[in-house]
mmCIF file of all heavy atoms in Angstrom:
data_model
loop_
_atom_site.group_PDB
_atom_site.id
_atom_site.type_symbol
_atom_site.label_atom_id
_atom_site.label_comp_id
_atom_site.label_asym_id
_atom_site.label_seq_id
_atom_site.Cartn_x
_atom_site.Cartn_y
_atom_site.Cartn_z
ATOM 1 N N THR U 141 -2.063 -16.526 55.287
ATOM 2 C CA THR U 141 -1.508 -16.913 56.629
ATOM 3 C C THR U 141 -0.638 -18.105 56.515
ATOM 4 O O THR U 141 -1.062 -19.196 55.929
ATOM 5 C CB THR U 141 -2.601 -17.165 57.670
ATOM 6 O OG1 THR U 141 -3.485 -15.993 57.673
ATOM 7 C CG2 THR U 141 -2.055 -17.427 58.931
ATOM 8 N N SER U 142 0.551 -18.027 57.049
ATOM 9 C CA SER U 142 1.569 -19.119 56.906
ATOM 10 C C SER U 142 1.135 -20.304 57.962
ATOM 11 O O SER U 142 0.491 -19.995 58.965
ATOM 12 C CB SER U 142 2.974 -18.674 57.190
ATOM 13 O OG SER U 142 3.080 -18.226 58.522
ATOM 14 N N SER U 143 1.578 -21.374 57.723
ATOM 15 C CA SER U 143 1.358 -22.596 58.571
ATOM 16 C C SER U 143 1.998 -22.365 60.018
ATOM 17 O O SER U 143 1.456 -22.750 60.943
ATOM 18 C CB SER U 143 1.886 -23.814 57.959
ATOM 19 O OG SER U 143 3.238 -23.687 57.723
ATOM 20 N N VAL U 144 3.164 -21.621 60.085
ATOM 21 C CA VAL U 144 3.834 -21.355 61.336
ATOM 22 C C VAL U 144 2.972 -20.432 62.177
ATOM 23 O O VAL U 144 2.632 -20.655 63.401
ATOM 24 C CB VAL U 144 5.188 -20.755 61.129
ATOM 25 C CG1 VAL U 144 5.838 -20.250 62.409
ATOM 26 C CG2 VAL U 144 6.099 -21.698 60.338
ATOM 27 N N THR U 145 2.336 -19.368 61.468
ATOM 28 C CA THR U 145 1.509 -18.456 62.256
ATOM 29 C C THR U 145 0.238 -19.230 62.737
ATOM 30 O O THR U 145 -0.228 -19.077 63.943
ATOM 31 C CB THR U 145 1.034 -17.295 61.316
ATOM 32 O OG1 THR U 145 2.243 -16.701 60.837
ATOM 33 C CG2 THR U 145 0.182 -16.367 62.075
ATOM 34 N N LYS U 146 -0.342 -20.055 61.847
ATOM 35 C CA LYS U 146 -1.543 -20.848 62.303
ATOM 36 C C LYS U 146 -1.245 -21.721 63.442
ATOM 37 O O LYS U 146 -2.021 -21.841 64.447
ATOM 38 C CB LYS U 146 -2.094 -21.655 61.168
ATOM 39 C CG LYS U 146 -2.737 -20.851 60.115
ATOM 40 C CD LYS U 146 -3.296 -21.724 58.994
ATOM 41 C CE LYS U 146 -4.090 -20.912 57.935
ATOM 42 N NZ LYS U 146 -4.719 -21.809 56.925
ATOM 43 N N ASN U 147 -0.113 -22.428 63.372
ATOM 44 C CA ASN U 147 0.249 -23.356 64.451
ATOM 45 C C ASN U 147 0.513 -22.605 65.722
ATOM 46 O O ASN U 147 0.102 -23.131 66.853
ATOM 47 C CB ASN U 147 1.540 -24.218 64.067
ATOM 48 C CG ASN U 147 1.142 -25.104 62.937
ATOM 49 O OD1 ASN U 147 0.024 -25.592 62.712
ATOM 50 N ND2 ASN U 147 2.232 -25.501 62.130
ATOM 51 N N SER U 148 1.174 -21.465 65.613
ATOM 52 C CA SER U 148 1.431 -20.723 66.784
ATOM 53 C C SER U 148 0.109 -20.189 67.471
ATOM 54 O O SER U 148 0.003 -20.201 68.697
ATOM 55 C CB SER U 148 2.373 -19.449 66.518
ATOM 56 O OG SER U 148 3.520 -19.818 65.954
ATOM 57 N N LEU U 149 -0.801 -19.681 66.682
ATOM 58 C CA LEU U 149 -2.137 -19.329 67.133
ATOM 59 C C LEU U 149 -2.873 -20.400 67.839
ATOM 60 O O LEU U 149 -3.470 -20.269 68.829
ATOM 61 C CB LEU U 149 -2.866 -18.718 66.043
ATOM 62 C CG LEU U 149 -2.512 -17.349 65.457
ATOM 63 C CD1 LEU U 149 -3.389 -16.922 64.260
ATOM 64 C CD2 LEU U 149 -2.643 -16.264 66.592
ATOM 65 N N PHE U 150 -2.820 -21.573 67.134
ATOM 66 C CA PHE U 150 -3.454 -22.729 67.754
ATOM 67 C C PHE U 150 -2.846 -23.153 69.116
ATOM 68 O O PHE U 150 -3.652 -23.476 70.069
ATOM 69 C CB PHE U 150 -3.400 -23.867 66.813
ATOM 70 C CG PHE U 150 -4.075 -25.197 67.297
ATOM 71 C CD1 PHE U 150 -5.461 -25.205 67.485
ATOM 72 C CD2 PHE U 150 -3.376 -26.259 67.687
ATOM 73 C CE1 PHE U 150 -6.102 -26.295 67.909
ATOM 74 C CE2 PHE U 150 -4.068 -27.338 68.137
ATOM 75 C CZ PHE U 150 -5.373 -27.492 68.241
ATOM 76 N N VAL U 151 -1.552 -23.081 69.241
ATOM 77 C CA VAL U 151 -0.871 -23.414 70.463
ATOM 78 C C VAL U 151 -1.216 -22.413 71.539
ATOM 79 O O VAL U 151 -1.643 -22.750 72.693
ATOM 80 C CB VAL U 151 0.638 -23.462 70.279
ATOM 81 C CG1 VAL U 151 1.350 -23.618 71.730
ATOM 82 C CG2 VAL U 151 1.007 -24.647 69.460
ATOM 83 N N LEU U 152 -1.235 -21.129 71.237
ATOM 84 C CA LEU U 152 -1.631 -20.097 72.166
ATOM 85 C C LEU U 152 -3.132 -20.266 72.595
ATOM 86 O O LEU U 152 -3.448 -20.137 73.799
ATOM 87 C CB LEU U 152 -1.365 -18.746 71.622
ATOM 88 C CG LEU U 152 0.066 -18.275 71.417
ATOM 89 C CD1 LEU U 152 0.187 -16.945 70.688
ATOM 90 C CD2 LEU U 152 0.825 -18.245 72.727
ATOM 91 N N GLY U 153 -3.879 -20.543 71.623
ATOM 92 C CA GLY U 153 -5.352 -20.765 71.953
ATOM 93 C C GLY U 153 -5.496 -21.908 72.867
ATOM 94 O O GLY U 153 -6.375 -21.914 73.773
ATOM 95 N N CYS U 154 -4.728 -23.020 72.584
ATOM 96 C CA CYS U 154 -4.919 -24.165 73.373
ATOM 97 C C CYS U 154 -4.467 -23.916 74.912
ATOM 98 O O CYS U 154 -5.087 -24.340 75.866
ATOM 99 C CB CYS U 154 -4.162 -25.362 72.894
ATOM 100 S SG CYS U 154 -4.857 -26.029 71.369
ATOM 101 N N ILE U 155 -3.393 -23.174 75.000
ATOM 102 C CA ILE U 155 -2.869 -22.847 76.336
ATOM 103 C C ILE U 155 -3.864 -21.950 77.060
ATOM 104 O O ILE U 155 -4.198 -22.161 78.255
ATOM 105 C CB ILE U 155 -1.436 -22.084 76.223
ATOM 106 C CG1 ILE U 155 -0.451 -23.075 75.758
ATOM 107 C CG2 ILE U 155 -1.082 -21.507 77.538
ATOM 108 C CD1 ILE U 155 0.871 -22.452 75.444
#
Side-chain angles (χ1 to χ4, degrees):
T141 305
S142 66
S143 59
V144 175
T145 303
K146 287 185 177 182
N147 292 335
S148 299
L149 289 173
F150 180 69
V151 171
L152 290 175
C154 289
I155 294 172

